[in-house]
Amino acid sequence: MPEPRRSTIDAGEVERFSALAAEWWNPNGKFRPLHKFNPIRLAYIRDQVAARFGRDPRAARPFEGLRFLDIGCGGGLLCEPMARLGAEVVGADASATNIEVAKLHAAEVGVTVDYRATTAEDLADAGEKFDVILNMEVVEHVADIDLFVGKCGEMLKPGGIMFVATINRTLKALGLAIIGAEYVLRWLPRGTHQFGKLVRPDELEKALAGAGLAIIDRTGVTYNPLADRWQRSKDMDVNYMVLAEKAPDGDTA
C-alpha cells in the first residue's frame, strides 16, 4: 500500500480557530491583539516589498502587478490591505469557516480577494506561483513545519520573498505570550498557543534553508504598554518576523 500523504494540517488547531471565526473583524473581540499587531506587520510588509521590488511605498497602489499569497489567512486581516495596495491576492486557509467569514467581509467592503479553503501542499501541487508569500502567525500551528515551509518555498517565484512571523520558544515567551496573554491578561483564548509548538529562529532558518530560501532580514516585535502599541525591536525572545528570499534564476548563492 502507498504511504499516506503527509499533511501540514493540525485538525485541532483548525477546529480551534474555526470556532472563533465570527470574531475576526471585531477589533474589541477575541482577536483584539491581532488588530493591535496589524499596523506594525503592515508597515513592515509595505516597506520591505517596496524596497525589494523597486516600488514607491507612498504610492496609492504600489503593489500593482504583484501576486501575493496569504497562507493561513484567517478572516483576511492582511489580505484586504494588500489588495487595496494593488496586489492580486490569494487568501488560503484550511478552515472553510474562516474563508466564508473572509469572503463575506470582503464583499461588504468591496475588496477583491481570491479566497480559498485549501492547504499549502494543495496549492503547491497545483503549480501556483507568487511574488510574495505572507506566512504570518501560522508556523506555530501546523503539523509539519518542514513540509509546510517547503511547500511555501515551491510556490515562490525566483527572486520572490516570504514573510514569516511567529513566536520564539523561550521561557520569556512562555511567560508573556502564553501565561501572560492567555491566562492573566486574557488577550487571547486559553490554548491559542502551545509552548512545544513555538518555533525558535534557528529552527525556522533551518526549515527555510531546506526550502531553498535565505533570510535577508529579521526583527523582533515587542509590546509597549505605555503607548499601547507594538513596535519593532532587536529583542526576538518572544515575537519576531523574518524575511526570506528565493534566489533569482541563475543565482545559486
Side-chain angles (χ1 to χ4, degrees), residues 155-179:
M155 290 187 280
L156 269 185
K157 297 177 183 178
I161 56 176
M162 179 163 72
F163 295 85
V164 185
T166 190
I167 302 175
N168 202 341
R169 193 172 68 254
T170 61
L171 290 178
K172 187 174 176 180
L174 174 63
L176 294 177
I178 297 181
I179 296 173

Side-chain angles (χ1 to χ4, degrees), residues 44-221:
Y44 185 66
I45 293 165
R46 181 198 62 218
D47 293 346
Q48 291 288 349
V49 170
R52 299 292 163 185
F53 291 95
R55 307 299 177 90
D56 180 358
R58 297 164 297 180
R61 292 172 64 84
F63 297 167
E64 203 84 58
L66 296 176
R67 193 164 193 246
F68 277 56
L69 169 66
D70 184 3
I71 187 71
C73 66
L77 298 188
L78 286 174
C79 292
E80 289 190 13
M82 295 302 108
R84 286 193 177 96
L85 290 172
E88 176 192 341
V89 182
V90 173
D93 200 284
S95 166
T97 309
N98 283 345
I99 290 298
E100 288 308 309
V101 169
K103 284 181 177 179
L104 284 171
H105 193 271
E108 286 173 4
V109 298
V111 175
T112 300
V113 178
D114 180 2
Y115 283 117
R116 307 183 196 178
T118 188
T119 65
E121 53 267 36
D122 284 345
L123 286 168
D125 292 350
E128 295 280 1
K129 298 293 180 184
F130 301 92
D131 300 289
V132 179
I133 295 178
L134 307 181
N135 194 329
M136 312 297 274
E137 289 79 43
V138 181
V139 293
E140 70 270 27
H141 299 293
V142 301
D144 186 328
I145 185 171
D146 290 329
L147 176 63
F148 179 70
V149 172
K151 289 297 182 182
C152 288
E154 285 180 28
M155 290 187 280
L156 269 185
K157 297 177 183 178
I161 56 176
M162 179 163 72
F163 295 85
V164 185
T166 190
I167 302 175
N168 202 341
R169 193 172 68 254
T170 61
L171 290 178
K172 187 174 176 180
L174 174 63
L176 294 177
I178 297 181
I179 296 173
E182 297 181 18
Y183 290 83
V184 179
L185 298 173
R186 298 187 180 180
W187 284 355
L188 296 166
R190 292 184 180 185
T192 298
H193 295 106
Q194 301 169 46
F195 181 72
K197 295 189 73 171
L198 302 184
V199 183
R200 297 198 308 262
D202 62 304
E203 295 168 338
L204 180 57
E205 186 165 1
K206 182 180 177 182
L208 289 166
L213 308 180
I215 294 178
I216 53 177
D217 191 69
R218 66 192 80 205
T219 182
V221 186

Side-chain angles (χ1 to χ4, degrees), residues 23-43:
E23 294 279 335
W24 276 109
W25 287 96
N26 180 0
N28 297 309
K30 293 179 179 177
F31 288 104
R32 181 174 180 270
L34 207 49
H35 284 268
K36 287 279 189 183
F37 197 42
N38 231 20
I40 196 73
R41 300 194 302 175
L42 291 171

Side-chain angles (χ1 to χ4, degrees), residues 236-247:
M236 295 176 60
D237 288 348
V238 185
N239 295 86
Y240 68 97
M241 297 187 289
V242 304
L243 176 61
E245 181 182 42
K246 191 169 191 174

